[in-house]
Amino acid sequence: MLSRSCFNLLNLDDYSVIDRARIPKVMNVPGIISDFEEENKEVKKNERRIIVANQLPIKAYKEGGKWCFEWDKFALDTLILQLKDGLSQDLEIIYVGCLKADVEVVDQEEVAEFLWDKFRCVPTFLSLELINKFYHGFCKHYLWPLFHYMLPITSSQGVRFDRNCWLAYVSVNKIFADKVYEVINPDEDYVWIQDYHLMILPTMLRKKYNRIKVGFFLHSPFPSSEIYRTLPVRDEILRALLNCDLIGFQTFDYARHFLSCCSRMLGLDYQSKRGYIGIDYFGRTVTIKILPVGIHMGQIQNVMSLPDTGKKAKELKEKYEGKILMLGIDDMDMFKGIGLKFLAMGHLLDQTPRLRGKVVLVQITNPPRSRGSDTQEVEEEVKRIASEINKKYGKPGYEPIVCVNGPVSTQDKIAHYAISECVVVNAVRDGMNLVPYEYTVSRQSSNNLDKALGIGSSAASRKSVIIVSEFIGCSPSLSGAIRVNPWDIESVSNAMFSAATMNDSEKELRHEKHYKYVSSHDVAYWARSFDQDLKRACSEHYHKRCWGIGLGLGFRVVALGPNFRKLSVEHIVSAYNRTNNRLILLDYDGTMLSEESVDKTPSEDDISILNGLCSDPKNVVFIVSGRGKDTLSKWFSPCPRLGLSAEHGYFTRWSKDSEWESRPVAADLDWKKIVLPIMERYTEATDGSSIEQKESALVWHHQHAGPDFGAWQAKELLDHLESVLANEPVVVKRGQHIVEVKPQDVSKGLVFENLLASMQSRGKSPDFVLCVGDDRSDEDMFESIASSLANNSLPDKAEVFACTVGQKPSMAKYYLDDPTEVIKMLQGLSAATAAVQLPPKSPVHQSSTEVITP
């Protein structure tokens, strides 16, 4: 049977952070982890969703000296209110966030009770000083520009990192965490955190509740690793996001940048399986989701049916009668590209005189969300450019650029959408931008608007044109849009010309394509999809044991499977002393020696430990490595009784005095003539890579190449080799920073099977098996050991310890964190051998001259 092991809590970085109230769910006896019992299974109860965002979807105002509240239903960007349409009606939705009003301290308790009773909202009251540092200081003036690729190179260009503002950001996230604690049932509720204001909140929640179900969606862009690495608190934010179960991004580019940061800064790799991307983080799988946000179709359609909307649309149509109307709706900030849009309009009128007096660009500008000198500069520049163009090309009754300073009502927006032939979204960088979606729906048929605009019922087809920047999140989903580089003024101008002169049939086809996508991928679809994936990502929570380790924002949770536990030195030494026929199989690189070590030669201590184990006649000890036999012979020559298995078992030697035996293979090694030139080509193209030529195999190493490019090239090489070697008797495998090609019937698993058969043929079936390895090739040994247990090839009472190095998915039942712990464990076994071999102490004889008195 498989042996049990105790988990030494003293090995945890921070035992104080463990939620002791939850330990009995996974422990029966202090220090010993039990398998899960029946009563520990998750019991399904009423679920709730706790939506956490910077602001609540509540409109607050005073009337007669008293506070009044209502849902903010008519704001087009209130996604956190709209997303409930995609969730089950049986679910209770709780909102946590700030109010859009300054509530006096004396009124806060009463307001909080009222909001909870009437709206199921939990307000977080922040002081003005804290808001200034948190929102205006860190979020909008530092983090927002950074995530939009703007670095504060000089003090006049952006705001540099301010430690005090960062501490305010941490404080606000802690306030939000405290509010979540007040209402959460951690065993049943799911928490969904929105956007970059609350990126470290997941760490605070998971620190208190290790199995909390938490998802995060980033509505802004996530920058490339070259930009993100400039953030002084980069690790804290990355690790905080990794404390989520599901992380959502608008586009694959944003997700790819996040994965690259995890790889470059934390050394974490990701895997794609069955359409899902996952990062293994201390035994937990963090799922990455890519799904752009949608709009609320019903809300826009309701506004379209309002009489005021139709009236406004009719007035606008009469005002711009005979004109080709282009529309822009943007916030006033530096990333919306309003000035570039105006320059493109000026270029269009300059290059196409026949469109002067016909084309009008109406720009609705929403107020900036944060104050600052950069916003003022943008506003002044926009006004200057518009004034110059209007002065140059305008005339009585015609103004090329019409600026409408917002905010404007929702009815006004819909009315402008309805009469515009084209919408221009020219942002230089934007997370999503739903303006094209809103425009598409507003251009669809509506009885109210059709009547107001004089469109007959026979006009079933609708038309629209979208000019969209390639640097915003909605661009990939708008396959019929004219995509532009906003920095290329001439290109945007040409797109405007195309939109102004496009025939109606093409406009109809583009509109139909966009409307089909927008109507099927609305906000309800987005919320429903995210919620389903969040439940799937959390489905394994109660099938694992969880412990919190680490301090502060470095906190993380170690999650272990029910049959995956840390190997205890005390327990294995006890089993070692009780047994008589022992088989010990050890990988070398990454197991006994760290992968980062430059000098791979075994140390004197390693040699001493191995000799100590080999000195016991009850032991058969083997180094099972992928390295060549000459290297292993040289390194381990001081260990005469040590067995060696080189090149994954192609060569085997029982001791220093015995001959090397090679495993017979079914074919010759002519395949090397095909593989070597291919590997040489990839080596030449990948700086830092190299080729290792073995007698039975060829290995391409990329450990010293760039992490992203090396992994990319390894995947390409793997696909390349698998295609050209499809009919050859070889196996192409990818391991830790390697791609290896070797004969089919050579593996470490066969090494174990051959050694087991050899020992059994001599009547010494092992009653103790220790196998330690760190790589994918070592999984073959673990799998063979599991098969031997299943088919009773090993004695029933055999003590079996299959142990991987590092916490990761494995066929092994045990793990040790790193090679240092492996050496400590082997030292324990070697010391046990030495203790048994010590000669018995001689009895102390008394001197003959001593007089013994009765």
Side-chain angles (χ1 to χ4, degrees), residues 684-719:
E684 183 179 349
T686 312
D687 190 30
S689 64
S690 61
I691 301 172
E692 180 185 359
Q693 298 193 41
K694 304 177 182 178
E695 293 190 40
S696 67
L698 288 173
V699 187
W700 187 75
H701 294 265
H702 63 93
Q703 181 178 2
H704 301 297
D708 290 337
F709 186 56
W712 177 276
Q713 289 290 78
K715 183 180 182 302
E716 289 295 314
L717 176 59
L718 182 73
D719 293 342

Side-chain angles (χ1 to χ4, degrees), residues 634-646:
K634 178 182 177 182
W635 284 354
F636 295 101
S637 58
C639 304
R641 297 184 182 180
L642 178 66
L644 298 176
S645 183

Side-chain angles (χ1 to χ4, degrees), residues 110-210:
E110 182 182 352
V111 166
E113 290 179 3
F114 181 83
L115 290 175
W116 174 254
D117 292 338
K118 299 296 182 182
F119 299 95
R120 277 297 182 263
C121 289
V122 182
T124 55
F125 299 108
L126 307 178
S127 68
L128 289 177
E129 181 184 3
L130 198 55
I131 290 174
N132 285 332
K133 290 182 178 179
F134 156 69
Y135 184 75
H136 299 292
F138 191 77
C139 291
K140 292 302 291 185
H141 283 165
Y142 181 73
L143 210 54
W144 175 262
L146 186 79
F147 275 37
H148 287 72
Y149 289 75
M150 179 179 172
L151 293 174
I153 303 298
T154 65
S155 57
S156 61
Q157 182 183 347
V159 176
R160 290 178 176 171
F161 179 80
D162 186 327
R163 181 66 59 176
N164 290 327
C165 291
W166 162 248
L167 293 177
Y169 184 86
V170 174
S171 298
V172 170
N173 276 252
K174 181 64 170 66
I175 292 171
F176 273 78
D178 290 338
K179 291 299 180 181
V180 174
Y181 299 156
E182 292 178 7
V183 295
I184 192 171
N185 176 352
D187 292 332
E188 310 301 334
D189 298 343
Y190 290 79
V191 181
W192 187 357
I193 302 168
Q194 306 288 332
D195 221 3
Y196 68 101
H197 314 89
L198 302 168
M199 288 195 293
I200 61 173
L201 179 58
T203 288
M204 297 171 178
L205 297 179
R206 197 164 295 282
K207 189 170 186 178
K208 188 170 181 67
Y209 302 113
N210 292 168

Side-chain angles (χ1 to χ4, degrees), residues 143 168 240 302 325 376 488 512 591 655 699 782 831:
L143 210 54
N302 288 339
L325 194 64
Q376 293 176 356
D488 186 349
E512 182 182 358
T591 299
S655 67
V699 187
F782 303 148

Side-chain angles (χ1 to χ4, degrees), residues 244-287:
C244 295
D245 298 293
L246 177 66
I247 308 173
F249 296 94
Q250 302 274 16
T251 71
F252 173 70
D253 280 345
Y254 304 161
R256 178 169 56 86
H257 294 157
F258 175 78
L259 294 170
S260 176
C261 289
C262 290
S263 174
R264 286 177 173 271
M265 288 167 232
L266 303 180
L268 300 174
D269 292 325
Y270 68 92
Q271 288 186 331
S272 183
K273 187 177 182 181
R274 296 180 181 177
Y276 293 99
I277 301 173
I279 302 174
D280 183 72
Y281 188 59
F282 290 91
R284 293 174 47 253
T285 298
V286 182
T287 304

Side-chain angles (χ1 to χ4, degrees), residues 814-846:
Y814 300 95
Y815 77 90
L816 290 171
D817 286 324
D818 50 45
T820 302
E821 292 194 349
V822 174
I823 295 300
K824 287 181 180 178
M825 181 268 296
L826 295 177
Q827 283 175 335
L829 299 183
S830 181
T833 295
V836 172
Q837 293 176 345
L838 284 176
K841 293 184 179 180
S842 302
V844 179
H845 297 284
Q846 293 173 325

